[in-house]
Amino acid sequence: MKLKLPGVLLGAVFALTACGDDDSVSIYTHNVEDEMQPMVSDMEEETGINADFLNLSSEEGFSRAESEFPDVGAEVHWGQLHSLALLAQEEDMLGSYQSPEWEDVPDEFKDPDGQWYGWSYWYNELAVNTDIVDELGLDTPSSWEDLIDPQYEGEIVMPDPSVSGTGFLFVSTIIQMLGEEEAWEYFEQLDENVGQYVESADVPGQLAAQGEYAVGITWDQAVTEFVEEGYPIEGVVPDEGVGYDLDVIFIYDGYEDDENVQEIIDYVGSEAGMESAAEHRSMVTKPDIEGTAGDEEPNIIDYDALWAAENRQDIQDEWDSRFNS
């Protein structure tokens, strides 16, 4: 079993913002504090509604809400994997609200009964430290297949799919592309090159940016931010393609008639809400609003989020038995 680092490296886990008055709305999110805080501030300024949020990893957020249900400690989950929203929907944990602000968002990004709304989508990307690659005489990887080359032994860091949605997206994508038998053979070979499994999606990019590893398996926006901050990072979308997941917002059952909660759903789907999100995400779902990726088109596969949701537990159990025991 390899060493794990908790997500607190980024200082974003369990970051509870101060508010807490009786009229405020409580939010669970897997979004990092650096993007969630300004998006919530924009929402508060636009709507006049106060909100506090608790940052949890995707899996932690789902497990916490599942254990608390029906008395979930947050009315809204703003920032969660689509696949986990589908699981919550199957367990009748979600309330329905038909928001008029989401009418022009394509149908594939929202539930027909108003139980979840996808506000952005994101994909896996490699963060490659160009200084370390040059220093060690490595090739810049261009594919998932490249990552199992022995030249990268100990030089890869990735999120643990048992606790990280980004890690799970990567593993689920490889399984959907290769089939289960070949995929698990791939992961066994990849494990030989992985120096650390970590718990947060952004940490692999951070460790690669700091020069502790040559390659971090992470997500697109994390790569963009480290590049913009001046780190010697090159983003690589593997040649085989990448899976993607919607980032969704939904109301927990029992809170759907709360006007403040409804107004938050309206805001996130509004032009103002999507413009705010587009400052922090590569792609948002409202037509004609560009995210940080501009008009770039990543090589995205036909990823099956429903299959991923239905097979999530089996995949995580298999992963734990092979790499976490």
Side-chain angles (χ1 to χ4, degrees), residues 146-220:
D146 285 346
L147 298 185
I148 60 175
D149 189 307
Q151 69 174 303
Y152 300 109
E153 182 177 357
E155 287 299 328
I156 295 174
V157 55
M158 65 169 278
D160 185 338
S162 295
V163 293
S164 164
T166 301
F168 181 76
L169 177 63
F170 161 62
V171 169
S172 179
T173 296
I174 296 295
I175 292 174
Q176 290 188 35
M177 288 195 299
L178 300 180
E180 290 202 37
E181 183 175 347
E182 188 175 347
W184 287 113
E185 291 175 0
Y186 172 86
F187 297 135
E188 291 285 355
Q189 295 178 68
L190 179 65
D191 183 62
E192 298 297 319
N193 290 344
V194 173
Q196 283 189 357
Y197 295 106
V198 297
E199 295 183 0
S200 172
D202 285 19
V203 174
Q206 182 183 36
L207 294 178
Q210 293 171 340
E212 297 189 39
Y213 295 92
V215 181
I217 300 175
T218 180
W219 66 298
D220 57 299

Side-chain angles (χ1 to χ4, degrees), residues 28-43:
Y28 287 162
T29 183
H30 69 179
N31 300 335
V32 296
E33 187 174 12
D34 286 349
E35 64 175 0
M36 194 62 184
Q37 185 61 69
M39 289 196 298
V40 169
S41 295
D42 287 348
M43 181 278 295

Side-chain angles (χ1 to χ4, degrees), residues 27-31 36 39-43 51 76-80 119 247-250 264 267-268 273 276-277:
I27 299 168
Y28 287 162
T29 183
H30 69 179
N31 300 335
M36 194 62 184
M39 289 196 298
V40 169
S41 295
D42 287 348
M43 181 278 295
V76 179
H77 211 128
W78 178 0
Q80 178 58 294
W119 54 279
D247 226 332
V248 300
I249 183 169
F250 53 81
I264 290 176
Y267 167 78
V268 173
S276 175

Side-chain angles (χ1 to χ4, degrees), residues 94-156:
L94 308 188
S96 295
Y97 169 59
Q98 295 287 0
S99 170
E101 295 289 349
W102 291 80
E103 288 181 354
D104 61 342
V105 171
D107 289 345
E108 62 263 35
F109 299 134
K110 59 190 179 186
D111 178 63
D113 296 322
Q115 291 202 318
W116 52 262
Y117 294 94
W119 54 279
S120 77
Y121 51 108
W122 54 275
Y123 52 89
N124 287 129
E125 189 167 351
L126 304 180
V128 180
N129 186 306
T130 54
D131 287 352
I132 298 299
V133 165
D134 290 342
E135 180 182 326
L136 298 180
L138 304 174
D139 299 323
T140 298
S142 62
S143 67
W144 296 122
E145 180 72 17
D146 285 346
L147 298 185
I148 60 175
D149 189 307
Q151 69 174 303
Y152 300 109
E153 182 177 357
E155 287 299 328
I156 295 174

Side-chain angles (χ1 to χ4, degrees), residues 240-280:
E240 300 96 327
V242 290
Y244 77 98
D245 209 334
L246 277 178
D247 226 332
V248 300
I249 183 169
F250 53 81
I251 304 171
Y252 283 107
D253 183 57
Y255 300 115
E256 61 271 20
D257 295 327
D258 186 307
E259 292 183 358
N260 285 347
V261 169
Q262 292 179 357
E263 195 166 350
I264 290 176
I265 298 294
D266 291 343
Y267 167 78
V268 173
S270 71
E271 186 170 338
M274 289 285 182
E275 292 281 7
S276 175
E279 296 179 12
H280 307 280

